[in-house]
Amino acid sequence: MENFSISSGELMGFVTTFGPKLLAAIATLVIGLWIVKLITKGVGKGLDKSNVDTALKSFLKSLVSILLKVMVYISALGMLGIEMTSFIAVLGAAGLAIGLALQGSLANFAGGVLILFFKPFKVGDFIERGSESGTVEKIDILHTLLKTPNNQLIVIPNGQLANSPVTNYSAKETRRAVFPVGIGYTSDMKKARKIMLRVLNEDERILKDPAPMVVLTNLGDSSLDLSARAWTKTEDYWGFFWDNLEKIKEELDKEGIEMPFPQRDVHLIKED
């Protein structure tokens, strides 16, 4: 068996050639990781000041830390003389393939980041998107969970929420309630207006500014279409709306204001 041996000269040459590279790589690694730690800490403080969601803050800090550490490791390996061009090319190709395969998930991920960062709605808000509506129970990085008034759970991908109109009914402190009422053409419109305003003003939940109003919105086929409009706090909206809609109907009935059914006049012409 042939003995394998290294002469002192070869060893010294190896140390002389490779030693400085190794020391430079170790120094780059140590200093680089220390700088990454400082940058990550600074990013965290910046996110704290911007009042970013906790879940998003943790994710962004981890993402920044991972990307910077990969750059540090690549730099350190490059100092050792390891060819990184092919590795980076393979890494980029793999990333592109994964991105194409997960295109939908990446869109949801991007949508989740935008929602958590810009906060068009938050947990506890009542929102509506198309035919779907409910109270926001949870916002994940990929999906948003809504609970409907019927206690059903709706899971909506964040990509769809970020790229379509969303109505947030909880965003403002006040809301306007609109009460559509149709009265007969022979009824006293001014009297009906006074009755409706009186009903609304008797409710303690009404806001005086803007002042409530009753306007004529349409001359319908069978009725004069009135619209009573009043403002209230958002948390009082549904109780205010339901209670006063019923009371308006009761008071108009008491005062003899007709609320007609849809009707048509049919004229029959008899030919000789």
Side-chain angles (χ1 to χ4, degrees):
M1 179 179 294
E2 184 178 354
N3 293 328
F4 178 77
S5 63
I6 300 177
S7 65
S8 60
E10 292 176 340
L11 181 60
M12 184 61 67
F14 176 79
V15 172
T16 303
T17 304
F18 190 73
K21 294 182 179 180
L22 180 61
L23 292 175
I26 294 174
T28 299
L29 191 62
V30 173
I31 296 174
L33 293 178
W34 177 70
I35 294 175
V36 168
K37 185 177 181 180
L38 292 179
I39 294 175
T40 304
K41 189 176 181 180
V43 170
K45 290 182 178 179
L47 293 174
D48 288 337
K49 292 181 180 179
S50 62
N51 196 28
V52 176
D53 186 89
T54 303
L56 180 59
K57 180 174 67 176
S58 176
F59 172 78
L60 290 178
K61 285 177 62 178
S62 299
L63 182 62
V64 170
S65 178
I66 291 172
L67 291 177
L68 292 177
K69 284 180 179 179
V70 169
M71 294 175 63
V72 170
Y73 288 130
I74 291 176
S75 299
L77 292 174
M79 288 185 174
L80 292 175
I82 299 175
E83 183 60 43
M84 301 302 298
T85 305
S86 299
F87 174 76
I88 294 174
V90 171
L91 190 63
L96 178 61
I98 293 173
L100 292 174
L102 301 177
Q103 187 174 3
S105 297
L106 290 176
N108 293 332
F109 165 77
V113 171
L114 292 174
I115 290 171
L116 291 170
F117 190 82
F118 291 105
K119 296 184 177 180
F121 52 84
K122 61 183 184 300
V123 174
D125 287 352
F126 189 90
I127 66 172
E128 180 181 68
R129 173 195 167 273
S131 61
E132 301 157 338
S133 62
T135 303
V136 179
E137 278 204 330
K138 188 178 181 181
I139 304 174
D140 290 329
I141 201 68
L142 296 178
H143 303 91
T144 294
L145 279 64
L146 302 183
K147 185 178 73 173
T148 70
N150 295 329
N151 202 32
Q152 297 169 319
L153 185 66
I154 302 178
V155 180
I156 304 178
N158 286 333
Q160 298 179 13
L161 283 176
N163 293 287
S164 61
V166 175
T167 303
N168 188 345
Y169 291 99
S170 305
K172 301 297 183 179
E173 294 182 356
T174 60
R175 284 185 64 183
R176 188 181 72 173
V178 179
F179 306 87
V181 176
I183 64 174
Y185 271 89
T186 58
S187 298
D188 189 337
M189 185 173 61
K190 293 183 178 179
K191 182 179 180 181
R193 179 182 286 114
K194 289 180 181 179
I195 294 171
M196 295 166 73
L197 285 174
R198 173 173 57 80
V199 170
L200 293 175
N201 284 312
E202 287 175 353
D203 195 310
E204 296 180 353
R205 295 167 292 188
I206 194 174
L207 299 178
K208 302 301 181 181
D209 186 22
M213 63 174 66
V214 178
V215 295
L216 177 65
T217 58
N218 185 43
L219 300 176
D221 294 336
S222 306
S223 64
L224 298 171
D225 298 332
L226 301 178
S227 176
R229 305 175 182 187
W231 289 81
T232 187
K233 292 182 179 180
T234 299
E235 60 265 26
D236 296 333
Y237 176 81
W238 286 112
F240 178 78
F241 177 79
W242 290 328
D243 293 345
N244 284 287
L245 185 62
E246 182 177 346
K247 193 171 182 180
I248 286 173
K249 171 65 169 64
E250 293 175 350
E251 293 300 314
L252 290 176
D253 287 344
K254 288 181 182 178
E255 297 295 333
I257 303 296
E258 179 191 6
M259 301 180 69
F261 296 101
Q263 58 186 3
R264 286 184 181 274
D265 292 335
V266 179
H267 300 274
L268 300 178
I269 299 176
K270 184 177 180 182
E271 296 182 356
D272 294 335

